[in-house]
Amino acid sequence: MFTGKINAQDDGKVFAPSEKVTVEKVTFHNRYGITLTADMYRPKGATGKLAAIAVCGPFGAVKEQASGLYAQTLAERGFLTIAFDPSFTGESGGEPRYVASPDINTEDFCAAVDYLATHEDVDPERIGILGICGWGGMALNAAAIDTRIKATVTSTMYDMSRVNANGYFDSMDEEARYELCRQLNAQRTEDYRSGRYALAGGVADPLPEDAPQFVKDYYDYYKTPRGYHPRSLNSNGGWNRTSALSFINMPLLTYIGEIRSAVLMIHGADAHSRYFSEDAFKRLKGDNKELMIIPGANHTDLYDNMEVIPFDRIEEFFGEYLK
């Protein structure tokens, strides 16, 4: 069993720092008055107003994990980037802790655009966003409503409404959904009575021998020195147990067919979650949309495997649509 010591290279990050960028802690607020904390990565020696990208995810991670790696790598390639902790998690504000919301977390991306659009070093006409895992769905949701976003990348995207309402591979029927809601509402009563919010638990530790392969992949990232972080929900106690309720009742991605800006969706061919990206992509319209399937890659390979993540294509995509 992992002891909980992190493989921190710089300021608690689980990836090695780059000598090609500078890093600065910044804060901004969303429409609900919640203060969000981010790491800003700037390419060293860059001058003038830059194209900028806001990065978030995976679902249950913090900015010191995969989102920071993406932000740092894109800053090395000339973009000003921020990797932020969503509301109620990490170093960001919001009470109660460890709750997720399809509305507020979509707003978090729009709030990041607010911050970048008003930053003195950013060209407000050249702003993109990048969402990993569950924040890929939030990114698409934000792109459907925020016309300031000129380009969106999703990596190993989850549709959190679909998986909460229907279960994995749409295995949950109406009766099972009703029973889930019954259990979650009973938990609400207990939470109110006790004055605290029970957590659902992060990635199982120790890992059951009969765990599905994708759970083993999650364990390999969140519960080992590869990706463990003490503020990561998935590495520790998990989300507020009743967070699923809002996702069941408020479907994400309703208007993604109306996204006019450019979208690049990336997924691993061997990922259990591949169907989320493939089905969402079918709803996108226009010749500025692309689905890129990475041969041999599983879901978590796109968190941090530098030999798998197609950064050349991501750079080219943002370079084309944020020019």
Side-chain angles (χ1 to χ4, degrees):
M1 186 186 301
F2 181 47
T3 62
K5 296 180 180 179
I6 67 172
N7 182 26
Q9 299 290 333
D10 178 47
D11 191 27
K13 297 176 176 63
V14 302
F15 51 90
S18 170
E19 296 181 354
K20 299 178 181 179
V21 305
T22 60
V23 188
E24 174 188 1
K25 191 83 70 180
V26 301
T27 60
F28 54 95
H29 63 274
N30 66 20
R31 273 192 317 122
Y32 297 100
I34 299 171
T35 298
L36 304 178
T37 300
D39 289 326
M40 175 180 286
Y41 296 82
R42 302 169 185 252
K44 284 185 177 178
T47 59
K49 290 187 177 292
L50 303 175
I53 303 165
V55 187
C56 194
F59 196 81
V62 289
K63 63 187 180 303
E64 291 80 10
Q65 296 173 305
S67 63
L69 176 63
Y70 272 74
Q72 176 176 274
T73 304
L74 290 171
E76 290 178 326
R77 293 166 180 250
F79 302 94
L80 184 149
T81 64
I82 58 172
F84 65 90
D85 286 330
S87 294
F88 312 110
T89 68
E91 294 183 308
S92 289
E95 294 289 343
R97 302 303 293 169
Y98 316 130
V99 66
S101 161
D103 180 24
I104 296 175
N105 295 142
T106 296
E107 161 62 18
D108 288 343
F109 258 124
C110 297
V113 176
D114 291 341
Y115 176 76
L116 292 173
T118 56
H119 195 283
E120 62 182 1
D121 295 332
V122 173
D123 182 344
E125 297 301 318
R126 301 167 65 202
I127 296 175
I129 60 175
L130 190 155
I132 308 163
C133 184
W135 258 262
M138 307 295 182
L140 287 178
N141 217 39
I145 193 66
D146 195 330
T147 57
R148 300 169 300 173
I149 297 168
K150 300 302 190 289
T152 300
V153 171
T154 69
S155 182
T156 198
M157 190 272 285
Y158 252 59
D159 179 343
M160 296 307 302
S161 291
R162 182 175 177 180
V163 74
N164 277 291
N166 298 340
Y168 281 108
F169 314 113
D170 299 324
S171 60
M172 187 185 298
D173 60 15
E174 180 179 345
E175 189 63 30
R177 186 161 46 251
Y178 179 87
E179 176 59 23
L180 174 61
C181 289
R182 189 195 64 77
Q183 292 174 10
L184 293 175
N185 283 291
Q187 185 65 54
R188 286 189 62 141
T189 302
E190 181 56 35
D191 287 349
Y192 197 87
R193 179 182 290 114
S194 67
R196 63 181 181 83
Y197 293 89
L199 300 181
V203 176
D205 187 11
L207 189 67
E209 291 184 5
D210 61 349
Q213 183 58 48
F214 72 90
V215 175
K216 295 178 181 178
D217 294 337
Y218 281 135
Y219 183 95
D220 189 52
Y221 182 77
Y222 286 108
K223 288 292 191 175
T224 73
R226 170 186 168 194
Y228 176 87
H229 196 279
R231 286 193 293 271
S232 167
L233 285 71
N234 288 345
S235 291
N236 297 283
W239 291 97
N240 176 319
R241 189 175 293 172
T242 57
S243 286
L245 282 167
S246 58
F247 287 95
I248 291 171
N249 202 43
M250 300 178 187
L252 291 162
L253 313 187
T254 299
Y255 296 107
I256 62 171
E258 298 181 9
I259 297 174
R260 299 185 184 184
S261 57
V263 176
L264 169 63
M265 303 187 71
I266 302 164
H267 225 108
D270 296 343
H272 69 285
S273 51
R274 175 177 170 176
Y275 69 103
F276 291 128
S277 285
E278 290 179 328
D279 288 354
F281 183 76
K282 293 173 185 176
R283 298 167 58 192
L284 300 180
K285 300 173 184 176
D287 58 7
N288 57 353
K289 311 297 191 294
E290 177 185 348
L291 174 63
M292 185 177 188
I293 301 297
I294 309 301
N298 65 33
H299 183 84
T300 57
D301 281 335
L302 289 171
Y303 285 7
D304 65 343
N305 189 332
M306 299 298 286
E307 295 182 358
V308 170
I309 302 170
F311 277 114
D312 287 345
R313 178 64 190 120
I314 296 172
E315 176 188 1
E316 181 182 42
F317 173 81
F318 278 130
E320 177 180 358
Y321 291 104
L322 301 183
K323 61 186 176 182

